[in-house]
Each structure stands twice: as C-alpha cells, then as structure tokens.
Amino acid sequence: DEDQLFFDDEFKHQLFRIKINSIQMRETEQENEQTTERVFQDRQYQIDAAIVRIMKARKALSHTLLLSELFTQLKFPLKAQDLKKRIESLIDREYLERDPAQAAGYRYLA
C-alpha cells in the first residue's frame, strides 16, 4: 500500500518501444465489401456445422425451433434469410430432409 511509482522520462532503450494510436489506413468501399464477403463465406461453415450439430442431437425439429436454437448458439449477427439458405444447401447435400409429417419441419439424415 505504501508503494510509490515514478515515471523516468530520461529512460531510453533500443528494444523498448511504445506505439500510441497508430493511424489506421482507411479501407475503400470495395475492400470493405470484399472483407464482408470473405467473413460471410467463413461463417457459412460455422452455420452449417451448428445446424448439423443441432439436428444430429434432436433428429427432427420445426423450422422456428431450429432458428431459435441457431440464434442462441451462434454469437455473430445473423439474418433468418441467410440461415434459410444454409438449410436449403444442407437439404441439397442430403444432410437434412423436409419432414413429411410436419409442413415446416426438418429431419436429420445420418
């Protein structure tokens, strides 16, 4: 509790550097769009994995329950439209199928 610290402004050393608020280069609008697109492509794999994980555990699930489960599991901002595209992609690749007994439901295919 009785420690006292002092700043020595005379101190100099070759290997000791501090960067304070380095100026960021601004991205152009095109670079920003490219970055956003790359992030979305990377997130597609996370979305697919989460859908398969949930469906593997539950076997059959309604569309609304699947979406709510995805929104709770995935921590980045999502649009329901994007999730629907990923679900359709998994149906095309035969990971899921539409549940014939339930209009807005899906079943996991092992």
Side-chain angles (χ1 to χ4, degrees):
D1 287 314
E2 296 180 16
D3 293 338
Q4 292 183 351
L5 301 175
F6 297 98
F7 179 74
D8 184 7
D9 57 342
E10 299 294 319
F11 179 77
K12 292 183 180 175
H13 193 276
Q14 278 185 320
L15 300 177
F16 189 77
R17 294 184 186 162
I18 299 174
K19 284 188 175 182
I20 300 175
N21 292 338
S22 61
I23 299 172
Q24 288 183 337
M25 290 180 55
R26 294 188 180 258
E27 286 187 7
T28 64
E29 194 170 316
Q30 182 182 8
E31 289 173 333
N32 194 7
E33 288 176 13
Q34 289 174 346
T35 303
T36 305
E37 183 63 33
R38 272 186 261 134
V39 168
F40 179 71
Q41 287 175 354
D42 291 342
R43 287 179 176 172
Q44 284 183 345
Y45 299 115
Q46 288 179 309
I47 294 169
D48 287 355
I51 293 170
V52 170
R53 218 179 14 252
I54 292 166
M55 292 303 295
K56 194 172 188 178
R58 303 276 182 94
K59 303 296 182 208
L61 207 56
S62 72
H63 180 76
T64 52
L65 287 174
L66 177 59
L67 288 186
S68 65
E69 187 76 27
L70 287 168
F71 282 122
T72 57
Q73 278 195 15
L74 299 171
K75 299 301 179 195
F76 47 86
L78 294 165
K79 297 177 189 169
Q81 203 173 31
D82 296 334
L83 293 177
K84 188 169 182 172
K85 287 179 187 175
R86 299 314 312 151
I87 291 169
E88 289 297 327
S89 171
L90 289 170
I91 289 172
D92 291 342
R93 290 185 282 161
E94 297 181 356
Y95 282 91
L96 303 176
E97 71 175 356
R98 295 192 187 282
D99 193 349
Q102 194 177 17
Y106 305 106
R107 287 194 317 195
Y108 177 72
L109 299 174

